[in-house]
Every structure is written in C-alpha cells, then in structure tokens.
Amino acid sequence: MKSDIEIAQEALLEPITSVAAGLGIDMDDLELYGKYKAKISDEYMNRISQNPDGKLILVTAINPTPAGEGKTTTSVGLGQAFGKLGKKAIIALREPSLGPCFGIKGGAAGGGYAQVVPMDELNLHFTGDFHAITSANNLLAALIDNHIQQGNELGIDPRQITWKRCLDMNDRVLRNVVVGLGAKADGTVREDHFVITVASEIMAVLCLANDMADLKERLGRMVVGYTYGGEVVTASQLQAVGAMAALLKDALKPNLIQTLEHTPALVHGGPFANIAHGCNSVRATKAALKMADYVITEAGFGADLGAEKFFDIKCRMADLKPDAVVLVATIRALKYNGGVPKTELVPENMEALKAGIVNLEKHIENLQKYGVPVVVTLNSFVTDTENEIAFVKQFCEDRNCDFAMSEVWEKGGEGGIALAEKVLNTLENKKSNFKVLYDDTLSIREKIETIAKEIYGADGVAFQSAAAKQMEKLESLGFGNLPICMAKTQYSLSDDPDKLGRPENFNISVREMYVSAGAGFIVVLTGAVMTMPGLPKKPAAYNVDVDENNKIVGLF
C-alpha cells in the first residue's frame, strides 16, 4: 500500500472552480489560492443564508490509542460514500496544525483513499489562516507590553497578565519564559508564556464568530489581564480590535477544497479538542448546511472531549441541532483498551475485546445523553476476525445503535457505502431530540462536576487551591453563566492517560481555570495537560523533505 502522501500526490484533482460549480458557486464567489484551493466570498454566504438546512452528522470516536481509530478518514470516506449514492453532501473539517505535523501525530487530512487534497498544502501553510491568527494574537501581546512601557494608563498589573503569546509549533521551552530583559527601553521584565496557536483564544473566537461584526465584538471582549485593583482589562480597552480584525479578515472566510473523489470539503479553523473546543468554524458548518443536503463534520479526539464540546459549546452558541452521530472504533483499539500491548493486537483475543469494549460502551452512553441517534462504525483492518466483528455488532445493537463496517481507507467511498446506508436509515427512522448536558444557570463548580461525573464517570472533582480561588473570582466578575471548556488528556476518560478502558473510583483534578470571554467559555485545566506541547525524541519532522522534483515527501 502506498503512503498517504503518495496517494494524494498521484491523484487527479479537479480545478476547484469545477468542484464549486457542482455546488452552484460561481467563479465570482471564489477567492482562488492557486488551482485547487479557494475561499468562499461573504457575498455568497449572505445569498444562501435563507436556504433550508441540510442534515448535520457528527463523526466522533472512542479515546485514541496507538493502534489508531481513523476518525477523519471515516468522515472523508463517509462524504465520498454519500456521493456514490447520489446524495449532495459536504464535509466540514478543521485545518491541521503544524505542531502535530512535525511532532508525533502526523497529518490530519484523512488517510488511504479517503483524504482531502491537496494534502501536503493543507497540512502546511494552506491559505494562511493559522498565520493570521498567530499574528493577531501576538499583535495583542505586543500592545499589552507597549501600553505598560508607555505609561500604563490602564494600570495593568504585570503580574496579572493572562494573555499569552502563541506559535503554531510544538516548542516546550516557550511554555514559561521571561520577557523585557535588557535596558529600560526594552520593556518591563515579567514572566510570560506561549500556547500553541490552536489553543489560543483567537482561534476559538474565529471558529465561533458568525460574521465580521460578531468577530469584532468577541475580540473586544477578550480578557488580557487585570489592573492593580483587580479590574478586568480587555482587548477593546487597548484599542486592539480594529487591527486584529484587519489581520483576520480573510481568515474568517471558509476554505473550499475536495476529496480524492472530488466531494467538496470546507476546511476551516482548527482548535485542538484536548486543550481547546475542538470543532471547525461555525461559519463553515452553517454555510455547508445551506449548500448541501448532508453535512459530515467531526470533533477532535474521543467523544469525551470533542463531541462534548461540539454539543455543549458549539451547538449551544450557534443554535445547531445535530441529526445523528457516527462513533468510530477499531477492533485493535478496543483490544488495546482491554490491556493488550500494541505489539500483540493482531491475533484474535475475545477476552481482551470484552474487557476493552467498555470504553466504547461509555461513549455510547454519553452520546445518548444528548438525545442524538448513534451509529457505531468499525474501521476495518484485515486482521479483524468474524468472531470479533460479530461480538461488537451485537454489543452495539443491544444498546440501540445501528452498526456498520467501514473500509474507506482501502476502498474510498465504495468502502463507506454500508456506513452511509446505515446513517441514512438512522436519519429516516430515528428522530434526534438534541439537548445540552447542563444549563447555563448552574455555577461553574456544578458545570465542571456535571461533565466529570456524567461524561468521564468520575466520583467527583478535586479543585486545587489556585483553581478554587480563580473560580471564585470568575464568579464574582460575572462569568459564572458561561459554558465550560475542559482541557484534559485525550487518552483516557479520566485525567490520567494511563487509565484505559472505563476507569472507576477516580476524581478529576482541576489545577487552573481562566475565562475566554471573547470565545464565551471558561477554560478548565485538569491533570497534567499542557497548552504548549513538546516534540518527541524522534519528531516526524525528521522524515519530511523536498525531493529532486520539488515534491514534499515524508509528510505522512
């Protein structure tokens, strides 16, 4: 089997103008970035705003393992399968971050014969959206320090600046830094921090904004720190909104590309789900719903993170009502959750499968709490046995979930037809009664405890002293009505990455929390999760190169 990048680079792409024409988008409504990428104009978005909405299908997964699950691959393959069945479908995905591309995870464009293309361009600079977000973020950081240097009219306490600089790269040495060293003219000496761009509040703001007016309002609300008297300081007070909006003007427009089978894909925004809210932009999702009969979107990592935030943050804010959920798993990942090492996942092992399927069980239970019908799909491997598949199928059907195998990695859209037919059957015969998990009026503590107990299966929440003080302060400042964005390890339902399966008898440890007032949620840091990842001992960057034909190789 060829590598993903080889498959992608050998594909015959259609001009993006042709893909757009299939959706009824004229050339004048596109802003071209070469032959195969384009942004969709605001004028077109406004014109389609009164169209009826299509069906919204969320793709999520069990907790990720080294064995692999294939959530994005399934999303892309499902979209291609709808095309094979003659259905008008669009895929709505997030943009990849450079951090994982050069770190440990690799690309984020799907895999095998279920990819969005051009894969190499998507995984690298794409249309420059992340660079715009990084620039806007760091412009605000520069304005904060300059304001202090130029007399500090607002009385900003340098020890209480909460705004962090950002970079779209895994760089652990930037987590904690000191700025302002040198002469007096070089600024005030203080401790500072970096987050990865996909964890920045501006990424969240861009992905949750409905339009430019909403974007500017959200940018203005962003809290950058506190005065010596404990009062909030916002980006609006620093007169930063206009310049940031100018940097983000083009980044706010959704990007149109295609799959290997020319299914249209809107790829826009890219917040991580373990440390941010993990969903593509509201603008892209809402536009897709006006452009097609079926919209397949995804939320990052396992359903305990991405799906929970999709429902409780994105759907709550954007008034979206998903019609069905596809929950992705693999036999190999379930056996890994059952205690089998990665090197021993090939042989049939029913005992390990029975032990590990509790992870899938908990995710099914969680998704059903939101009132949305669930379809479980197994991403197929040649090593899967009939006994193992039959066991998982029966397990799912006993829990009122439709079930289908997926072979999209090997066969593209053709390998997703069985799944697409199950999804269509579910949409036709099972009504979605979507509801969020908790009410806005609950206290911050009650919301956190609800997520920990209902979604993670925790006994309770242990608030470290710093977090408890921050929670009290946020309530007193009037932020208690906001939803919660939990930052947690993706590898476990708990906050301990080593607790696989369905952990029991544990508490969630909350060490810190802060408000993202522009995005409109409270970020809660649990366990040892980091907002600036580091590189592994052998980064994926070692494999990336440009060959003698000027082609990128080794990306994934």
Side-chain angles (χ1 to χ4, degrees):
M1 184 77 177
K2 296 174 181 176
S3 69
D4 290 347
I5 194 168
E6 288 172 333
I7 293 170
Q9 289 176 338
E10 291 174 7
L12 294 175
L13 278 62
E14 288 187 356
I16 199 62
T17 50
S18 299
V19 176
L23 293 167
I25 304 176
D26 295 333
M27 178 80 172
D28 288 344
D29 290 317
L30 297 177
E31 297 174 11
L32 299 178
Y33 284 67
K35 294 180 181 178
Y36 306 115
K37 300 174 293 184
K39 282 187 172 288
I40 298 174
S41 73
D42 291 333
E43 292 77 12
Y44 175 78
M45 304 266 285
N46 291 333
R47 278 205 308 277
I48 64 172
S49 62
Q50 299 306 311
N51 290 359
D53 284 341
K55 298 288 187 181
L56 181 58
I57 303 153
L58 173 69
V59 179
T60 185
I62 63 172
N63 291 99
T65 70
E69 288 67 53
K71 175 166 50 62
T72 305
T73 302
T74 301
S75 301
V76 176
L78 179 58
Q80 293 181 157
F82 271 102
K84 292 277 188 186
L85 294 172
K87 306 296 184 181
K88 190 176 183 181
I90 292 182
I91 302 158
L93 304 175
R94 293 172 299 158
E95 300 175 46
S97 163
L98 291 177
C101 286
F102 294 128
I104 194 169
K105 185 175 178 287
Y113 289 92
Q115 296 187 58
V116 282
V117 284
M119 176 265 218
D120 46 1
E121 295 178 29
L122 171 61
N123 276 298
L124 298 178
H125 302 290
F126 198 32
T127 57
D129 292 346
F130 283 20
H131 298 306
I133 291 166
T134 302
S135 298
N137 182 98
N138 294 340
L139 169 63
L140 179 54
L143 289 170
I144 295 167
D145 285 310
N146 184 64
H147 182 89
I148 294 171
Q149 177 73 7
Q150 303 293 351
N152 199 5
E153 182 182 343
L154 293 171
I156 300 170
D157 183 351
R159 297 163 300 178
Q160 295 192 76
I161 294 173
T162 55
W163 191 257
K164 299 175 174 66
R165 288 168 161 83
C166 75
L167 185 71
D168 191 33
M169 197 64 65
N170 292 2
D171 195 348
R172 61 169 54 83
V173 302
L174 294 179
R175 290 171 185 161
N176 304 289
V177 297
V178 176
V179 297
L181 294 173
K184 184 178 180 180
D186 297 325
T188 301
V189 177
R190 67 179 182 88
E191 184 179 352
D192 200 359
H193 311 272
F194 275 75
V195 298
I196 192 165
T197 297
V198 285
S200 69
E201 184 175 358
I202 292 185
M203 175 65 80
V205 163
L206 182 107
C207 287
L208 291 168
N210 285 306
D211 50 33
M212 177 55 75
D214 188 24
L215 176 73
K216 292 173 73 172
E217 184 180 333
R218 288 174 178 274
L219 291 172
R221 292 201 309 256
M222 295 189 307
V223 173
V224 303
Y226 299 89
T227 67
Y228 287 107
E231 299 297 317
V232 162
V233 180
T234 66
S236 178
Q237 290 174 275
L238 287 161
Q239 302 177 60
V241 174
M244 286 192 292
L247 288 170
L248 297 169
K249 180 178 73 73
D250 291 331
L252 187 60
K253 299 170 184 175
N255 307 296
L256 176 66
I257 54 174
Q258 63 190 287
T259 73
L260 291 172
E261 297 178 12
H262 316 306
T263 304
L266 293 182
V267 183
H268 194 218
F272 278 179
N274 58 342
I275 51 180
H277 79 282
C279 306
N280 74 313
S281 76
V282 166
R283 289 201 90 197
T285 302
K286 285 189 169 182
L289 287 167
K290 301 298 183 183
M291 295 160 65
D293 298 324
Y294 301 94
V295 175
I296 299 101
T297 191
E298 68 164 18
F301 291 127
D304 56 318
L305 288 167
E308 187 273 316
K309 294 170 182 179
F310 176 84
F311 293 142
D312 287 321
I313 295 176
K314 181 175 178 176
C315 291
R316 183 193 303 263
M317 292 187 187
D319 195 28
L320 295 169
K321 292 179 172 55
D323 296 285
V325 181
V326 175
L327 177 57
V328 181
T330 65
I331 296 287
R332 293 158 59 93
L334 293 173
K335 289 191 287 192
Y336 184 86
N337 267 286
V340 176
K342 183 181 178 181
T343 54
E344 299 174 21
L345 294 173
V346 172
E348 181 177 292
N349 188 333
M350 296 303 295
E351 292 306 310
L353 182 58
K354 291 174 183 177
I357 204 167
V358 294
N359 187 266
L360 174 63
E361 179 181 45
K362 177 59 175 162
H363 286 298
I364 291 172
E365 291 174 9
N366 288 349
L367 293 170
Q368 290 176 336
K369 290 176 182 179
Y370 291 94
V372 183
V374 180
V375 179
V376 176
T377 186
L378 277 180
N379 201 6
S380 177
F381 283 76
V382 293
T383 54
D384 299 343
T385 70
E386 290 184 8
N387 287 338
E388 291 171 330
I389 294 169
F391 174 75
V392 177
K393 181 176 186 290
Q394 189 63 52
F395 186 91
C396 296
E397 291 175 347
D398 288 345
R399 284 153 183 80
N400 193 32
C401 294
D402 281 336
F403 173 88
M405 293 297 294
S406 171
E407 300 176 283
V408 296
W409 182 84
E410 181 185 2
K411 300 179 181 178
E414 191 68 33
I417 287 178
L419 172 59
E421 289 175 340
K422 284 290 185 182
V423 172
L424 288 168
N425 181 68
T426 296
L427 291 171
E428 188 173 331
N429 295 300
K430 293 183 180 180
K431 180 176 172 55
S432 174
N433 296 300
F434 172 68
K435 60 182 184 297
V436 293
L437 184 70
Y438 54 82
D439 193 82
D440 289 332
T441 58
L442 293 180
S443 67
I444 295 174
R445 178 185 292 270
E446 288 171 324
K447 291 170 188 170
I448 295 170
E449 289 176 342
T450 298
I451 295 169
K453 293 176 181 179
E454 294 292 326
I455 301 301
Y456 308 154
D459 294 333
V461 180
F463 293 90
Q464 296 182 19
S465 59
K469 290 176 183 176
Q470 290 160 347
M471 180 164 58
E472 183 179 349
K473 183 174 185 176
L474 292 174
E475 292 271 13
S476 70
L477 291 169
F479 296 120
N481 64 329
L482 298 181
I484 303 298
C485 183
M486 299 287 277
K488 181 183 76 70
T489 178
Q490 65 268 34
Y491 298 115
S492 172
L493 286 161
S494 74
D495 56 8
D496 180 348
D498 295 326
K499 290 183 177 177
L500 303 180
R502 184 174 183 168
E504 296 178 339
N505 305 315
F506 68 94
N507 287 325
I508 292 291
S509 176
V510 173
R511 74 173 197 268
E512 183 184 346
M513 66 181 72
Y514 56 87
V515 64
S516 288
F521 51 65
I522 305 290
V523 179
V524 177
L525 302 181
T526 71
V529 70
M530 294 288 182
T531 54
M532 170 55 86
L535 291 171
K537 188 171 184 179
K538 294 184 178 179
Y542 290 173
N543 303 317
V544 180
D545 200 354
V546 180
D547 69 13
E548 63 276 9
N549 297 313
N550 211 34
K551 288 174 63 176
I552 293 170
V553 295
L555 189 58
F556 196 55

